[in-house]
């Protein structure tokens, strides 16, 4: 497992590659708990690879405490950096999976380089008070 830091010096990624070269990669943005490099996402990786899709795990935060220090724009920039990285690696089709908070963040703006998006239990409309993510979309 080779975890890389992207040129912005902040975003960490792990690219899970299949045996055969693929032109398609999936960016994975986790939920609040982060931990994108943990074993709990190995099944997701295996399923993507079985379909001929390489998986880029993106760690914009590793804990709730780290997430609390970020804003949505910073996470959007991490997604942009991940997309640039995949393009530089020769991928021509880029998909994205956003789990929970990751899915909600994907809805906050358009990502023209991403051709397909899967929202896995997106965290939207979950707060009882004002300032909910729904108000910012």
């Amino acid at each position: 497992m080779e975890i890389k830091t992207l040129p912005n010096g902040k975003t960490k990624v792990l690219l899970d590659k299949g045996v055969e070269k693929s032109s398609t990669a999936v960016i994975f943005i986790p939920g609040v708990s982060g931990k994108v490099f943990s074993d709990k996402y190995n099944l997701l990786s295996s399923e993507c690879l079985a379909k001929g899709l390489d998986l880029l795990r993106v760690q914009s935060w590793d804990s709730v405490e780290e997430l609390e220090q970020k804003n949505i724009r910073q996470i959007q920039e991490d997604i942009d950096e991940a997309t640039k990285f995949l393009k530089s690696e020769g991928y021509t089709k880029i998909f994205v999976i956003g789990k929970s908070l990751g899915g909600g963040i994907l809805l906050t703006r358009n990502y023209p380089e991403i051709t397909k998006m899967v929202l896995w239990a997106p965290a939207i409309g979950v707060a009882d008070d004002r300032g909910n993510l729904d108000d910012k979309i």
Side-chain angles (χ1 to χ4, degrees), residues 33-46:
S33 65
K35 308 289 185 210
V36 75
F37 304 138
S38 71
D39 291 344
K40 70 180 179 177
Y41 297 116
N42 287 350
L43 181 58
L44 172 64
S45 177
S46 296

Side-chain angles (χ1 to χ4, degrees), residues 4 8 28 37 39 46 51 56 69 76 79 85 98 117:
K4 294 183 178 184
N8 68 1
F28 177 62
F37 304 138
D39 291 344
S46 296
K51 303 287 186 215
L56 184 71
Q69 301 304 313
Q76 291 168 337
I79 295 168
F85 170 74
M117 190 178 294

Side-chain angles (χ1 to χ4, degrees), residues 1-59:
M1 172 161 57
E2 183 184 352
I3 297 170
K4 294 183 178 184
T5 301
L6 296 184
N8 68 1
K10 301 178 288 183
T11 312
K12 292 185 177 148
V13 297
L14 172 63
L15 182 58
D16 298 331
K17 290 184 171 187
V19 176
E20 295 187 26
K21 183 158 176 57
S22 177
S23 62
T24 306
V26 178
I27 296 171
F28 177 62
I29 309 298
V32 170
S33 65
K35 308 289 185 210
V36 75
F37 304 138
S38 71
D39 291 344
K40 70 180 179 177
Y41 297 116
N42 287 350
L43 181 58
L44 172 64
S45 177
S46 296
E47 291 297 319
C48 286
L49 296 176
K51 303 287 186 215
L53 307 169
D54 292 348
L55 181 71
L56 184 71
R57 305 179 196 206
V58 177
Q59 179 178 286

Side-chain angles (χ1 to χ4, degrees), residues 8 10-11 27-32 58-61 63 66-83 101-106 108-109 111 133:
N8 68 1
K10 301 178 288 183
T11 312
I27 296 171
F28 177 62
I29 309 298
V32 170
V58 177
Q59 179 178 286
S60 187
W61 64 90
S63 66
E66 282 184 32
L67 177 59
E68 288 173 344
Q69 301 304 313
K70 290 196 163 255
N71 60 44
I72 290 174
R73 179 168 289 146
Q74 291 169 318
I75 298 167
Q76 291 168 337
E77 289 170 1
D78 290 338
I79 295 168
D80 291 338
E81 287 294 316
T83 302
L101 178 68
I105 289 169
L106 292 174
T108 61
R109 66 166 257 233
Y111 295 92
L133 184 59

Side-chain angles (χ1 to χ4, degrees), residues 100-118:
S100 190
L101 178 68
I105 289 169
L106 292 174
L107 293 174
T108 61
R109 66 166 257 233
N110 183 33
Y111 295 92
E113 300 289 336
I114 295 172
T115 55
K116 292 187 181 184
M117 190 178 294
V118 174

